[in-house]
Amino acid sequence: MNPRLYPLAATIAIFLLAWGICVAQFPYMLSTRVVGNLLTDNAYLGIVAVGMTLVILSGGIDLSVGSVIAFSGVFIAVMLRDTGMHPLPVFVLLLLITTAFGAAMGWLIYALAMPPFIVTLAGMFLMRGVAYMLTIDSVPINHGFYDMLGKAYWLMPGKGRLTLIGVAMLAVVAVGMLVAHRTRFGAAVFALGGGEATARLMGVRLGATYVRIYAFSGLMAGLAGIVFSIYTRSGYPLATVGTELTAIAAVVIGGTLLTGGSGYVFGTLIGVLTMGLIQTYIVFDGTLSSWWTKIIIGLLLLAFILLQKGLVRFSGAGRPA
Amino acid sequence: MLLTIRSLTKTFPGTKALDDVDFDLEAGEVHALLGENGAGKSTLIKCLTGAFARDAGEIVLNGRQVSPRSTSEAQELGIGTVYQEVNLLPNLTVAQNLTFGREPTRFGLVDGRAQRRLAEEMLEGYGLDIDVTRDLSAYSVAVRQIIAIARAVALSGKVLILDEPTASLDAREVETLFDVVRGLRERGLGIVFVSHFLDQVFALTDRVTVLRNGRKVTTERTADLDRVRLIEHMLGHALEDEVVGHAKVHKSVTRPELLRFETFGRRGHIEPFDLTVGKGEVIGLAGLLGSGRTESAELMFGVERAQTGAARDADGPIDLGSPRAAIAAGFGFAPEERKEDGIIAELSIRENIVLALQARSGWARPIPRAEQLRLANDYIQRLDIRTSGPEKAIGDLSGGNQQKVVLARWLAMNPRFLILDEPTRGIDVGAHAEILRLIQQVTRDGMSILVISSELDELIAVSDRVIVVRDRRHVAELTGAEIDTDAIVRAIAAPGREEVA
């Protein structure tokens, strides 16, 4: 097997193992209901993690996405409450804003040669602040279109509900896979993650690539915000605090190298589902504190970082001629 | 003529990197471009590949004047480059690397099968039998180098620049690479070959152009050259007028011994050597780039720890385990890469001068500002540093004045043994002479100095003794009247490993 597939294989193995343990203890975990809920509950996280995967593949980081999701919810809720617009044009407007916001951060990172950490940290505070400026309360969303979106699902055999937002997440993952692994832009992202100087020598247009990477992440965060607003039926400026870190964790557990240049979007999906599975297990168990989720995710992260370190050393040392 | 360069000039603040350089390249020729560090090789190449814009002169490719502004523009014109290290992306597959930027697409998506086929076509004729779908990191440096050449040739196809392509290859790999290069010569490419391995230059190239101090020294057919003459060209022969005035009268004086290095060495850096340093003595270290000059200095200053031997003075053994220990022992070291290792460009002249002094006395005991100013003004005057004042950022000074500040920093420490690695690199002739004068002045006060330089004239002018380094070994020691260009060049060029002059 190609060594670059090891982390992905490890991710899938851990997911299957975890599920195996769950099913052994609670046979009901195998049902389509659990699967449906896993997809629905983690839809927004999966979408934002796809954007984060591209950012991390390029060797960057985007800390602003949690704030962008909260901003999106608040923006939609306030627009629907105050203007009477139909949700669809509001969605379009929102996606334009978040994409432009991401693009602006990408441009700053390139033009000022600033670390993405700093620029997106500023973006994080900025978006959270703007969300507060729109409202400080939790604003409910009451619109017929939202009722329809929230209730849209396909009943799987076994009474599991495959919801619209769950399907949206899977579709976004599929698009993310194509973008990352099958386009020239994706190749440029991997090239950046492999080394900026080399990428430039190979003809990557750095400025355009940076802008597009962070614009993509902004677009994904906006989409995740829409999905989150459908999921919660409200907009709240304090929502999704720390989601950017959860997304980063999902990407790393999904086998993407935190230093960039290696990884798979599909792995990120598995990473998100693994984290969701741990949460579901704790709910099923009923006696465990929900903090165990964090502890196990922490241990998993550590394990993956060690695995990656080991792989880097292994592939660096054992090089056949 | 495939490529003609006329009167190429490129100036950086404080130094003329290329001065009226001519160069030409025929189709079906391998043309070596030689010179020591700072001779202008990389500047010339960067002007060709679009990384630098030239100040004056013209570049004519296939009868048409060109001025590439970026690497990709140079590639489109037909000029491809393969560097020693940073060429390709090890985290992508061989096929992705080869086709990067021109991947075959279908409906906007990369067509993996066509990409693989294209990559395999590009590798045809290079004698490689590899799986293009594997990651590049799965293959050895030599294979990667050939893949990089294949990419450069496919993209450009007229001029191929090989910049130190063999630096990390073993002998067998070098031969494989040379076969590839010879094959490309047959196909009519013009190849510029940059290397500091003279054996390889003689084995592979048709013509040689030597640069020195930004000027072209000569272009000759390789077959008409011999080693000694080539090294003479590279290191320079004629004395600069400014230096002649200060040339040392070489007579052997017995000096009280200050330091002694015994079988001091480290594997892979420099073979164990013995060296005694007299009080107030100037020792020159001569040799080609990569011969072990800088490595010797780094060992003596504790940048790298010596594996064998010890250093001692009159009071017993000295600890040289780290630069800190070396400074405590009264050593100083002004490194070769001034811009990277020597100065902190944003800080002022005053701050740069007191830096090492302050580090020695500890941060808890700040040197009073008045004292700092006194020191700075004192050295600005003594070394004739051209500046509007001690608070000017050092990055704004010219190269020669920056070098003087670095010297001032170490002189302020008043070390007993100061190592200067290429102290006159990249500075103009006037400042050059002043720095040499300064070296002689401080040794009169009893400081001992080790000077590393590619400029033989400079070494001859200041040194009481010259050590010649070759193949990571101290091979000869010249004292007094023995010190002249011929003797040094002969010691450097001697093909045998054993004899000591």
Side-chain angles (χ1 to χ4, degrees), chain B residues 78-94:
Chain B
I79 302 172
T81 316
V82 172
Y83 302 92
Q84 176 187 340
E85 287 294 346
V86 284
N87 271 313
L88 300 175
L89 293 155
N91 62 322
L92 300 185
T93 66
V94 173

Side-chain angles (χ1 to χ4, degrees), chain B residues 457-477:
Chain B
D457 319 323
E458 189 176 300
L459 285 180
I460 293 165
V462 298
S463 306
D464 299 304
R465 196 142 56 96
V466 172
I467 311 283
V468 177
V469 190
R470 169 163 42 86
D471 298 331
R472 315 243 152 188
R473 209 182 247 259
H474 290 201
V475 293
E477 182 173 320

